[in-house]
Amino acid sequence: MKNRVLPVLAFLLPLSVLSGTGAFAQTVRFQTNLGNIDVTLAPESAPATVENFLKYVNRGAFKNSFFHRSVPGFIIQGGGYQFEGSVKEIPSDPAVRNEYKISNTRGTLAMAKLGTNPNSATNQWFFNLSNSNASNLNGQNGGFTVFGRVANTTGLAVMDKIATVPVYDAGSPFDQLPLQNYKTGNITAANLVMVTSITILEPTPLISPNGVVSAGGFGGFASAAPGSYIEIFGSNLAGYSRAWSAADFVDGKAPAALEGVSVTVDGKPAFVTFVHPAQVNVQVPEDVATDGAVPVVVSYKGRSSAAAMLSIRKTAGGLLAPESFRVNGNQYAAAVHHSSGAFVSNGTIPNVADAPALGGETLVFYGIGFGPVTPGSVAGQVAVGTTSVTTPVQFLFGDVQAEVLYAGLVPDLVGVYQFNVVVPSGLPGGDVQLRVLSGGEPIVQTLYVPVQAPGN
């Protein structure tokens, strides 16, 4: 039994998202003695400013800092000074270039700078209290760079609470210093509006509505079987983009986590094949319940999504038939000539040479979701040698049943089925509908195979 595995490999990865992750918007928490302010950063608009700010955050520079300037109805400002028994100035890195793009409206976080130099921002930042700030800050000194926005109403309420703290003149640069419960004498940490820390929050993964389907190149169904490959769409699902590699396998066992991402299906660990902030692909484990819908949960760096439900059946077969093989309303199966390894085509499939099937020749089809095999495992293990599906699979070209020479897993792959099928002789030329039965039940796909007429 020969197998042609190269054509199938490309369709196990989501080619549309392999180009990269893009800017990843993080949320930081300003923990103050008046409450927390969560801010969503804006790296897509101010990448250098966000990078500069996070350098200070990551080394703890803002720990025990305080709001040293408050102008009610305008701004509250911090980032320049710490108080640990006495005031000390926070050491600054080189200034960052100005990146004004976002308007200085209420709830935005922007960088402070020298009045005569637009590229002078270092470690001081301020919260805009009013939408009217935009009228002067957007055009002043090259515009003040907004690099984040308060993430929720709770944070806005804390921002406003800080702005109500009475302001005192404690001498430059603290001539607009907000102080709590203060009358006269020495200023303590209890009087200051302290920022005890600024920390990066790991975002919670979110699965989109109807965001779990079987692998798109194999039909993209709303149901799957044990061992099926599924695609999970959403946001904050991962921080990186990559597929599994040989280095991720241990003794032929597929990884249950990749780049900090893990997934459970029916509470059982799935095998993670690909991660991206907007998409995670996994293989369903074998020991899931097959009598209804089960929960799918994505976890990343200790945070887990709400469960999305996926229907699980004993078999949910789908043949390799990518969207690129859909022409003029006909979805062609990505069948391969056993003798050459070339795709079967009538010349209309983009970038695929004209090569219709011939009566009597053997074609190779690839699939997922066709149930258990003997011997061996469908899920999480590299297939070794030949296997056989335990649920019978039939191929019919039109109404003519074809001979199936092999129906089992592809050796050296994980959970991908291979069917070597002899094209019946005497079929009329043209696009012949392919019908596939698994356990006597037709699979969902409506597929076609181009066949060359006898004698041509």
Side-chain angles (χ1 to χ4, degrees):
M1 186 273 298
K2 292 170 60 180
N3 65 83
R4 303 277 184 175
V5 299
L6 289 180
V8 73
L9 295 178
F11 297 102
L12 290 176
L13 296 178
L15 303 181
S16 60
V17 298
L18 286 179
S19 57
T21 65
F24 188 49
Q26 293 172 296
T27 298
V28 294
R29 172 164 292 173
F30 289 67
Q31 186 171 345
T32 83
N33 54 2
L34 291 180
N36 296 336
I37 305 175
D38 291 348
V39 174
T40 302
L41 301 180
E44 72 287 350
S45 299
T49 305
V50 169
E51 181 181 5
N52 172 73
F53 175 75
L54 290 177
K55 285 180 181 178
Y56 289 98
V57 169
N58 287 329
R59 66 172 180 257
F62 297 128
K63 182 180 180 181
N64 295 326
S65 62
F66 59 95
F67 285 90
H68 66 272
R69 182 182 177 218
S70 176
V71 183
F74 183 47
I75 62 134
I76 52 174
Q77 183 171 333
Y81 305 92
Q82 290 176 307
F83 186 89
E84 294 177 334
S86 62
V87 174
K88 66 176 182 179
E89 193 168 352
I90 296 174
S92 62
D93 292 340
V96 65
R97 72 179 184 273
N98 199 43
E99 296 179 301
Y100 167 72
K101 288 182 181 178
I102 301 174
S103 181
N104 284 263
T105 53
R106 171 173 164 77
T108 54
L109 176 66
M111 292 301 294
K113 55 187 174 180
L114 300 177
T116 58
N117 183 355
N119 299 310
S120 59
T122 55
N123 57 10
Q124 293 195 31
W125 35 259
F126 62 89
F127 288 91
N128 283 297
L129 300 176
S130 170
N131 286 328
S132 64
N133 290 13
S135 62
N136 60 65
L137 295 185
N138 289 357
Q140 186 185 130
N141 196 16
F144 284 79
T145 298
V146 168
F147 65 99
R149 186 179 300 276
V150 177
N152 48 49
T153 56
T154 300
L156 288 173
V158 173
M159 179 187 77
D160 291 337
K161 185 177 182 180
I162 293 171
T164 66
V165 174
V167 175
Y168 294 81
D169 185 350
S172 181
F174 306 118
D175 51 356
Q176 295 174 300
L177 181 66
L179 294 175
Q180 308 175 78
N181 306 312
Y182 179 76
K183 293 183 179 179
T184 59
N186 293 332
I187 296 172
T188 68
N191 302 128
L192 295 168
V193 180
M194 297 292 295
V195 179
T196 54
S197 66
I198 302 177
T199 55
I200 300 172
L201 299 182
E202 295 294 346
T204 300
L206 176 66
I207 300 175
S208 300
N210 303 314
V212 183
V213 294
S214 66
F218 295 81
F221 309 132
S223 60
S228 288
Y229 285 91
I230 61 173
E231 299 172 345
I232 306 165
F233 297 94
S235 58
N236 304 323
L237 301 180
Y240 303 91
S241 176
R242 83 169 177 93
W244 66 14
S245 67
D248 298 307
F249 285 70
V250 177
D251 296 329
K253 188 77 170 179
L258 203 64
E259 298 293 346
V261 178
S262 60
V263 176
T264 59
V265 180
D266 193 27
K268 314 294 195 308
F271 303 98
V272 185
T273 74
F274 175 82
V275 296
H276 181 279
Q279 180 176 347
V280 171
N281 294 357
V282 302
Q283 189 192 27
V284 177
E286 284 188 279
D287 54 348
V288 297
T290 58
D291 54 357
V294 300
V296 177
V297 176
V298 178
S299 298
Y300 176 56
K301 289 191 173 180
R303 291 176 176 260
S304 297
S305 71
M309 304 306 292
L310 174 67
S311 174
I312 299 291
R313 302 167 51 192
K314 292 181 180 179
T315 63
L319 291 185
L320 179 59
E323 183 62 29
S324 60
F325 277 60
R326 181 183 296 276
V327 181
N328 297 326
N330 280 358
Q331 177 65 67
Y332 296 99
V336 175
H337 293 278
H338 186 270
S339 59
S340 67
F343 282 119
V344 175
S345 173
N346 56 10
T348 66
I349 299 171
N351 303 313
V352 179
D354 185 12
L358 302 175
E361 77 160 318
T362 300
L363 302 182
V364 180
F365 298 86
Y366 297 100
I368 62 171
F370 284 90
V373 297
T374 183
S377 172
V378 171
Q381 193 74 38
V382 174
V384 178
T386 59
T387 56
S388 298
V389 293
T390 59
T391 300
V393 177
Q394 299 168 277
F395 282 70
L396 291 87
F397 288 72
D399 295 323
V400 183
Q401 184 164 333
E403 182 184 4
V404 178
L405 301 178
Y406 177 76
L409 296 178
V410 181
D412 302 323
L413 290 185
V414 179
V416 179
Y417 298 81
Q418 177 175 333
F419 303 98
N420 293 3
V421 181
V422 179
V423 180
S425 298
L427 294 175
D431 294 339
V432 176
Q433 185 173 347
L434 178 70
R435 294 194 296 133
V436 180
L437 307 180
S438 177
E441 295 293 327
I443 67 172
V444 176
Q445 292 161 299
T446 299
L447 302 172
Y448 293 89
V449 176
V451 175
Q452 182 171 308
N456 288 352

